[in-house]
Amino acid sequence: MKFSFSPAAALLCLALSFTGCAQAADTHEAAFSKPEALIITDVQKRAFQLGSNLLSKQHYRGNSLRQISAGVFDNYLDTLDFNRIYFLKSDIEELSVHRSTLAQTVRKADLSPAVQIFERYRERASALNAWILQRLNQPFDLDGTATVHIPNNLRLGSSHLPWRETLEEVHAYQEARLTDTLIRLRMGGRSQEEAIKKLISRYEMQQKSLNQMTVEDVFDMYMNNIALRFDPHSSYLSPRSTEDFDINMSLSLEGIGATLSYEDGKITVRELVAGGPAFKSGKLRINDRIIGVAQDKDGEMQPVIGMRLDKAVRLIRGKKGTIVRLLIEPASPNMPETEIALERDTIKLEDQAAQGYVESVEANGLTRKIGVIRLPSFYMDFEGARKGKENYRSTSNDLSNIIKNMKAQQIDGMILDLRGNGGGSLYEAVRTVGLFIDEGPVVMVSDVENSAETQHDSDKGALYEGPLAVMVDHGSASASEIFAAAIQDYRRGIVVGSNSFGKGTVQTVIALNRFVSSKVPPLGEMKITIAMFHRITGESTQHKGVVPDIALPTSADIEKVGERSLPYALPLKSIKAADYQSSDEVTPETVSALQRQHEQRMHSKPALLRYQEYINREIAEKERNEWSLNLAQREQQYQDWKSYVENYAGIQTQEMPALQSDQKRRKDIEKRNAVIDSEADKEYFVPDAGLFETLYILFDFIEHAHGGQVLDKAA
């Protein structure tokens, strides 16, 4: 780590003791008002006992509280101070008496360790915030040679660093972080004075939020850290969070359509819902951080750094048609902070529905018609199905209609694009597999006792029997992995793309009040992982994901974005294979031949060579973790990258054949750009090189596996 700071700042670092920093808050009295005392309630003690014991007895992992105690202690520290900027090494040594006491504290319903650790965190954080507000009144050097180390993946970065030993070390690192944030603000178009004013307001609000944290906040945080130690998909749902969960499950939520998590004290984008305002905007991306929220077009921006996740979500959520403005800190330190405005909307089933296109592919003097179906999720109109509505909207029903239409157009092959498909209805995934196979098992589910249940496609015959390719990437998870795995295991089609996410677990929600009398107030619920999905081969998609037959270039490192990157993810487990009969449509010899032809194109076609170079450049940008604290250098780096992307998009658009499948995306970008005044903020349309190459892979597959014959053309 390298850093530099002004002499004035150095003197301040040395002069301010821990107590002195707290006293420095006098100039920001409103922000540093005394917080309320944290007094644990009997209801929270009861929920602590019931929830913790429920996890240890019913979770798929089967660990005892004694086994996870040290992990819970470390998780809690990481949640409070992931970047190692508040606690000192001496604090950790003092607090480590709680490292092995979880089982005893659960038995006694004693939550005092959680409170004690949080109080030390709040004390340290308040002192550092006071120091920061003093430091912001001193000059910053944005023309020097200093650098700062920023981990390129939050989950895999700072938590492995040692705790700092002195306040001087803490202040020095915070000096570098402040300078980096100041540079981001300057790159976003603010003057030095405006940027400093913004930072002062941000840290005052952060301190105010810190002081307003309640015993409920601390309890929820601690309970979720206990659940996290079992696996990343288990959690505690407070009575209020339970209400939010029910809203999400009913699909009636009005908001921006994004799944958010709390990392490094910031609200982080984990998933974008297909068809939602955030997805449609094109301006919010996975791993971006939301650091401020404002209402309507002229509402004051409220910082949400350090704010409890559910509170921040309530600021972001709102009625359909209203505007929410978000201050975004992009995942890449090379990008400036930016403000985006989104119109809240209800996520409609139609926005997540399958869309079909027919593409023409020419090679070797032949032209093939290939159907492409984009499937953002596995959806189902549960209300329509329950009422017995004829032709209710669902993935399998919609795909049936699209396939029939494509067959009427005499297609030669079909691509099912599951990139970014985060899952959805297991029932619909099984039914959709049934459109492409005769009949048989599709997926197995094992419980903690290793007993397995098999989900079958029981409808004889397949609606489509022709050449098939399935596209997956790191965003393909859960139900989409079940579909791709079944197609691969039956050798029914080829899987193309990059390694899928690797979520192969099943959760259930258990109300804690079911274990107590009806007179007890609401205790909340536990979401617990109770089972694992398995392919019909007996292997699981958990952790490993679905490995494509033919790999396409990707900038996503599955070790950093997939299930295996999540703390305490369950390991892959195998069970006995199901009784099934695979076809001979996709043989190892065919895959080898397709791989050779794919590699030949990747090394010879200009559009694909540019595509690979673009991916390599994107990987280099993501992997960079040492950043200059020189404003001019950072601005030049940003402009260089922006110019490169613009040139790449322009050349690819000119030289790659226009695909029908790209037209909707192109029109969406044009609509968004039409209401943006600044040319610098406008998006570039980039042709889908991955789909372009997959069309040729399927073209080759038709030639190799089927001798060039056109199959399954009857309507």
Side-chain angles (χ1 to χ4, degrees), residues 1-4 144-149 176 626-630 633:
M1 181 193 312
K2 307 183 188 80
F3 47 80
S4 68
T145 59
T147 62
V148 61
H149 179 84
E626 198 77 17
W627 292 92
S628 170
L629 293 180
N630 182 294
Q633 288 184 21

Side-chain angles (χ1 to χ4, degrees), residues 380-395:
M380 179 180 181
D381 179 3
F382 291 99
E383 186 68 19
R386 187 163 51 248
K387 291 181 178 179
K389 183 179 177 181
E390 188 176 355
N391 295 324
Y392 62 86
R393 295 301 298 271
S394 72
T395 301

Side-chain angles (χ1 to χ4, degrees), residues 361-593:
V361 184
E362 297 181 6
N364 306 323
L366 295 173
T367 300
R368 297 288 187 191
K369 293 168 69 176
I370 295 177
V372 177
I373 301 177
R374 290 193 183 274
L375 186 60
S377 68
F378 285 90
Y379 53 89
M380 179 180 181
D381 179 3
F382 291 99
E383 186 68 19
R386 187 163 51 248
K387 291 181 178 179
K389 183 179 177 181
E390 188 176 355
N391 295 324
Y392 62 86
R393 295 301 298 271
S394 72
T395 301
S396 55
N397 287 342
D398 287 353
L399 252 64
S400 295
N401 293 329
I402 293 173
I403 291 170
K404 290 173 184 176
N405 179 270
M406 287 181 171
K407 288 170 69 175
Q409 297 182 60
Q410 299 283 289
I411 61 170
D412 298 293
M414 182 183 296
I415 295 172
L416 197 61
D417 187 352
L418 301 182
R419 290 175 297 174
N421 183 321
S425 168
L426 172 63
Y427 174 75
E428 279 302 309
V430 173
R431 287 191 67 191
T432 304
V433 170
L435 300 176
F436 300 95
I437 67 171
D438 183 7
E439 61 177 334
V442 174
V443 63
M444 298 184 289
V445 183
S446 72
D447 60 20
V448 69
E449 296 177 352
N450 283 327
S451 62
E453 178 184 334
T454 304
Q455 300 282 331
H456 288 81
D457 162 44
S458 55
D459 296 331
K460 290 189 176 182
L463 180 60
Y464 178 74
E465 297 177 333
L468 177 67
V470 178
M471 295 187 73
V472 296
D473 67 1
H474 66 281
S476 307
S478 196
S480 61
E481 294 179 287
I482 289 169
F483 179 92
I487 296 299
Q488 192 175 57
D489 292 338
Y490 274 105
R491 297 184 182 178
R492 175 61 190 86
I494 51 173
V495 177
V496 181
S498 57
N499 211 109
S500 66
F501 186 86
K503 182 185 182 298
T505 55
V506 184
Q507 286 74 41
T508 189
V509 176
I510 303 174
L512 295 179
N513 282 77
R514 66 186 284 188
F515 303 103
V516 296
S517 71
S518 59
K519 296 180 181 180
V520 176
L523 299 173
E525 298 176 341
M526 298 303 302
K527 181 156 71 82
I528 300 177
T529 297
I530 58 167
M532 185 176 289
F533 290 123
H534 296 268
R535 305 167 69 134
I536 53 178
T537 60
E539 285 193 11
S540 176
T541 56
Q542 171 63 16
H543 214 269
K544 182 179 180 181
V546 176
V547 180
D549 300 308
I550 307 292
L552 296 177
T554 177
S555 63
D557 185 347
I558 199 66
E559 299 290 342
K560 294 181 179 179
V561 299
E563 177 83 0
R564 68 188 72 179
S565 75
L566 299 176
Y568 308 113
L570 289 171
L572 180 148
K573 187 181 79 171
S574 297
I575 61 175
K576 183 180 178 182
D579 184 13
Y580 72 101
Q581 184 65 47
S582 64
S583 72
D584 58 358
E585 293 183 54
V586 181
T587 65
E589 293 75 20
T590 299
V591 172
S592 295

